[in-house]
Amino acid sequence: MEGVAIFEKPVVIQLGRIDRDRVVVGVRDAATLLLYEWPENSSAREAAMQACLAAIKGEASVTMARDAFVAAAQAARIYLGDLP
């Protein structure tokens, strides 16, 4: 499907309550979370937002955006892992 940037493996993060894990399946999901719900403002968050924007515009790969999103989630200590 054109214009859909889906991650090869979904990313699982935990933004708040322990029973509220979030499964992030693509670049647009990641960008929305980074913009509106991220727990901290950091250089890793900024880099992930830039990578997601570049992927949405077709200027970067989905893999690059995913890697930056995972790095930001790890830096914020909300990364739980990947789904197969």
Side-chain angles (χ1 to χ4, degrees):
M1 206 169 169
E2 190 177 344
V4 178
I6 302 297
F7 293 155
E8 186 176 320
K9 290 183 177 183
V11 178
V12 182
I13 62 171
Q14 188 176 86
L15 284 169
R17 293 179 27 189
I18 291 173
D19 61 343
R20 298 289 170 125
D21 297 352
R22 299 285 293 267
V23 178
V24 183
V25 298
V27 174
R28 289 191 188 274
D29 285 348
T32 299
L33 290 170
L34 287 160
L35 189 59
Y36 297 112
E37 298 185 49
W38 212 248
E40 66 179 16
N41 193 11
S42 66
S43 59
R45 176 181 174 255
E46 289 292 324
M49 289 192 329
Q50 292 298 323
C52 287
L53 180 60
I56 289 168
K57 293 163 101 179
E59 299 169 355
S61 71
V62 173
T63 300
M64 186 182 105
R66 184 189 184 282
D67 290 347
F69 180 76
V70 168
Q74 289 171 331
R77 297 183 178 161
I78 61 170
Y79 175 74
L80 296 180
D82 300 335
L83 291 180

